[in-house]
Amino acid sequence: MATTLRLILGDQLNHNHSWFTTVDDSVVYVMMEIRPESEYVRHHIQKQLAFFTAMRRFANWLRTRGHRVDYLTITDHRNQHSFLANCQMLVESLGATRFDFIEPDEYRLDQQLADVVAELGLDAAMVDSEHFLTSRTDLGDFFAGKKTYLMESFYRMMRRRHDVLMDGDGPRGGKWNLDTENRKPLPKNHQLPDRPGFANDVRDILIDIETAGLLSFGRVDATALRWPLDRRQALQALQQFVDIALPDFGRYQDAMTSSGSFLYHSLLSFALNVKLLHPREVIDAVVAAGDAHSRDIPFSAVEGFVRQILGWREYMRGIYWSTMPDYADQNYFGHTNRLPSWYWTGDTKMACLRHAITQSLDDAYAHHIQRLMITGNFALLAGIDPDEVGSWYLGIYIDAIEWVEITNTRGMSQFADGGLVATKPYVSSANYINKMSDYCMSCHYSRTLRTGEQACPFNSLYWDFFDRQRHLLGTNHRLSMVYRTLDKLSATDRDAIRRHAKSIRKNLDLL
Ligand code: FAD
Ligand code: SF4
């Protein structure tokens, strides 16, 4: 009987993929934990553990359904730590005559698997991942000929195309976007809900990782890894989000607090990105809950959440596939500074960065505004090389896979693409951080000062950034207010800001 080898990558754990609807003895599924995939960037230990555990559980699920699976663990003596060498070894031992694989989400893997196909020289096919709501080329086609790729237009097209929150041809409730209702800070003494995680005991996998000598960073309690790591847990996590957090998701979506990490966020990005959850089922669950409990769940929460999944997530994937590989080299401002050493320890006097980084080292998680307006904001103002920033985000977060990490980091956060994703740089002084969090209250620095030892570093860096980048940003109409305010400062003030910011940028490690 001619055998087919089918490769499943670590982020392709889609239980509902049509591959798995029939059991076929002539098909062998292969999954592998290979060294280059664990080492192309230094990963948080929770990310390594989550991937290996989810992959192993998926392989076991396939076996219980009767499928033939060959799984190469990181310590398997047969493992040659290369997609090609491992596939060649299996093709030979099984006498396979055909090689199939699922469309990878990353450019790097796309190239590698094309090489594998060429080298194997067998009949081969790449099949759809049956996960996304758009194809790789949909966004590029939609914006063909346009200079900027406005997310809002893409989002409206997606609402119409997928008939989500629609009323005829218009948006339900009359407005496409209710974001203005979604920008509240937490009230004083606000009690956050408990966000129970899963108690995954992953000690055996930790031993494998240590035995293999894989490098990592961050902290973990290997007796209780909190992230959903199989289909049952992923569905439970979705239900928990809807029950516990959805009603306040919108309202406090941008809020930050030193007394909690998760607030009202869904914590579903890992399960979504490894395909344990399908975006459509997540959208449907949220819309259904909103319909069933419209008194408790504001429509702005439902719309705000749908926009993240149906809009931003698909949009970022489209940006990725329409701009790679060039996107990975974009550096609009020509930034070259090194990331301060405290990004790896959290050991800084800046309370906002200390909290966001410490939390990321503890949980492999920070929510969107922490990533954008604390760690990303600082990196951009400090002129850090986008390659350094990208490696940090790609390593530290549980959900970091290049297609969604690089577009968010290089594009949305660092404006390194010159404004393809964001219409203006997402930067702020202490004002915004103080408005949206309680960080400044317990900070060594003073949020109201612009210069001097005690001054909040964000303040001088912010004005100095716009001053230095006037040649690139001065004509952006969304920044006219900023430049008007800058121009009202006296020459002496501007000079003091420049000098202070320069000294900060030279001594980032001391902050
Ligand atoms: P929620 O706040 O509950 O949002 C719900 C879901 O919407 C998320 O799970 C995610 O699937 C989707 N979503 C929300 N915002 C975005 C966005 N901007 N782009 C794509 N999807 C979005 N997300 C990743 O999945 N992987 C990354 O590596 C990643 N890196 C980021 C780096 C930076 C600098 C920034 C600013 C954002 C990044 N994001 C990334 C987007 C976003 O921050 C995370 O998706 C979110 O914080 C995950 O937590 P959650 O599941 O609780 O999300
Ligand atoms: Fe961050 Fe500045 Fe506020 Fe301190 S004062 S928490 S550094 S914004």
Side-chain angles (χ1 to χ4, degrees):
M1 181 174 49
T3 301
T4 296
L5 190 64
R6 285 180 172 173
L7 174 68
I8 302 171
L9 300 174
D11 63 348
Q12 296 179 334
L13 315 182
N14 179 357
H15 289 66
N16 293 317
H17 195 278
S18 53
W19 263 5
F20 312 126
T21 47
T22 43
V23 174
D24 181 346
D25 274 348
S26 72
V27 171
V28 175
Y29 292 100
V30 57
M31 298 179 73
M32 55 184 90
E33 300 166 1
I34 59 173
R35 201 172 271 286
E37 281 305 293
S38 304
E39 291 182 338
Y40 64 88
V41 72
R42 190 181 279 219
H43 299 284
H44 196 296
I45 185 64
Q46 291 190 33
K47 186 179 172 195
Q48 280 182 340
L49 287 164
F51 266 89
F52 288 0
T53 311
M55 287 168 70
R56 290 184 193 191
R57 288 189 188 174
F58 188 77
N60 285 340
W61 174 80
L62 284 176
R63 287 191 190 105
T64 60
R65 304 272 299 211
H67 297 287
R68 292 173 69 192
V69 182
D70 200 327
Y71 190 103
L72 295 158
T73 63
I74 194 79
T75 52
D76 191 320
H77 68 278
R78 297 173 306 152
N79 194 339
Q80 296 171 56
H81 297 284
S82 128
F83 287 118
L84 177 61
N86 284 341
C87 287
Q88 274 171 332
M89 180 258 295
L90 289 171
V91 163
E92 217 164 280
S93 66
L94 295 163
T97 53
R98 188 179 170 83
F99 174 71
D100 292 337
F101 62 103
I102 298 174
E103 175 183 59
D105 291 335
E106 287 173 280
Y107 186 82
R108 176 178 55 85
L109 292 171
D110 213 40
Q111 303 286 296
Q112 279 183 37
L113 294 185
D115 291 346
V116 170
V117 168
E119 290 290 328
L120 289 179
L122 303 178
D123 281 344
M126 177 169 89
V127 304
D128 196 316
S129 66
E130 300 174 15
H131 174 81
F132 289 99
L133 302 168
T134 42
S135 74
R136 282 182 180 178
T137 53
D138 274 353
L139 176 134
D141 295 343
F142 180 71
F143 286 116
K146 298 266 172 10
K147 259 199 196 146
T148 47
Y149 290 9
L150 205 62
M151 203 297 281
E152 187 64 25
S153 339
F154 174 82
Y155 170 54
R156 291 180 188 187
M157 176 278 286
M158 291 293 282
R159 290 264 296 269
R160 284 201 177 95
R161 184 191 281 183
H162 293 275
D163 193 18
V164 176
L165 301 179
M166 292 300 291
D167 193 357
D169 193 42
R172 195 195 284 185
K175 278 189 183 166
W176 288 102
N177 183 322
L178 284 83
D179 211 21
T180 45
E181 295 171 36
N182 285 350
R183 292 177 187 152
K184 299 193 171 42
L186 290 178
K188 259 200 183 131
N189 303 322
H190 182 82
Q191 198 62 38
L192 287 171
D194 186 25
R195 302 297 304 273
F198 299 92
N200 290 296
D201 187 337
V202 294
R203 282 175 290 184
D204 51 343
I205 299 185
L206 184 59
I207 290 171
D208 281 359
I209 287 174
E210 284 167 357
T211 308
L214 297 183
L215 298 177
S216 63
F217 68 103
R219 294 177 274 273
V220 68
D221 171 1
T223 63
L225 185 59
R226 66 161 294 120
W227 302 102
L229 301 179
D230 54 42
R231 174 79 178 151
R232 190 179 50 83
Q233 291 184 350
L235 288 170
Q236 254 175 284
L238 172 58
Q239 191 58 49
Q240 269 182 19
F241 164 62
V242 167
D243 292 344
I244 300 175
L246 178 59
D248 284 310
F249 171 83
R251 219 179 332 250
Y252 302 128
Q253 199 179 342
D254 289 1
M256 297 175 283
T257 171
S258 49
S259 50
S261 308
F262 306 126
L263 287 87
Y264 296 95
H265 290 273
S266 69
L267 316 180
L268 294 176
S269 48
F270 176 77
L272 273 163
N273 291 355
V274 298
K275 306 184 179 61
L276 287 170
L277 289 175
H278 191 279
R280 183 74 212 212
E281 76 185 319
V282 174
I283 290 170
D284 287 347
V286 165
V287 171
D291 288 346
H293 307 285
S294 58
R295 271 205 311 214
D296 300 329
I297 304 177
F299 186 62
S300 55
V302 174
E303 188 283 314
F305 188 82
V306 164
R307 181 153 24 91
Q308 307 309 313
I309 309 269
L310 188 63
W312 281 110
R313 189 166 184 269
E314 298 287 329
Y315 171 83
M316 290 307 199
R317 167 175 147 88
I319 293 279
Y320 183 77
W321 283 108
S322 62
T323 58
M324 282 296 280
D326 298 347
Y327 205 77
D329 295 325
Q330 304 282 300
N331 187 354
Y332 187 60
F333 298 117
H335 282 161
T336 53
N337 256 346
R338 303 291 314 270
L339 206 60
S341 54
W342 40 260
Y343 265 70
W344 303 96
T345 60
D347 190 10
T348 165
K349 298 191 284 292
M350 302 170 77
C352 51
L353 280 146
R354 186 171 63 239
H355 181 258
I357 294 169
T358 305
Q359 169 196 318
S360 303
L361 292 168
D362 287 345
D363 301 322
Y365 179 87
H367 70 68
H368 187 68
I369 295 301
Q370 291 177 300
R371 298 185 204 197
L372 188 65
M373 296 311 294
I374 304 294
T375 43
N377 184 4
F378 186 84
L380 177 52
L381 293 179
I384 313 296
D385 185 333
D387 285 348
E388 291 243 332
V389 186
S391 298
W392 186 80
Y393 280 100
L394 193 54
I396 200 163
Y397 291 118
I398 193 79
D399 52 34
I401 302 181
E402 191 190 62
W403 65 270
V404 57
E405 176 279 324
I406 199 171
T407 42
N408 270 292
T409 303
R410 213 167 264 266
M412 182 185 267
S413 160
Q414 299 301 294
F415 205 78
D417 61 6
L420 185 69
V421 165
T423 49
K424 65 177 173 109
Y426 280 101
V427 285
S428 80
S429 65
N431 261 348
Y432 174 84
I433 296 172
N434 183 51
K435 191 175 99 191
M436 296 310 296
S437 76
D438 58 1
Y439 291 143
C440 301
M441 280 172 4
S442 58
C443 188
H444 164 85
Y445 295 102
S446 163
R447 66 181 174 81
T448 54
L449 299 176
R450 273 200 299 250
T451 52
E453 279 281 287
Q454 287 297 115
C456 167
F458 276 96
N459 293 341
S460 58
L461 287 176
Y462 175 81
W463 291 113
D464 181 62
F465 170 77
F466 285 110
D467 197 19
R468 281 187 297 121
Q469 305 300 352
R470 192 186 285 265
H471 61 297
L472 293 174
L473 302 173
T475 54
N476 183 328
H477 72 275
R478 293 202 64 202
L479 296 171
S480 44
M481 258 287 268
V482 173
Y483 278 104
R484 268 204 304 277
T485 313
L486 182 61
D487 291 340
K488 278 189 201 146
L489 295 177
S490 70
T492 323
D493 279 355
R494 284 226 296 264
D495 208 40
I497 287 171
R498 269 182 213 135
R499 269 185 284 114
H500 191 57
K502 191 169 176 192
S503 126
I504 291 176
R505 279 188 279 112
K506 272 192 156 170
N507 297 291
L508 293 174
D509 277 344
L510 303 180
L511 291 172

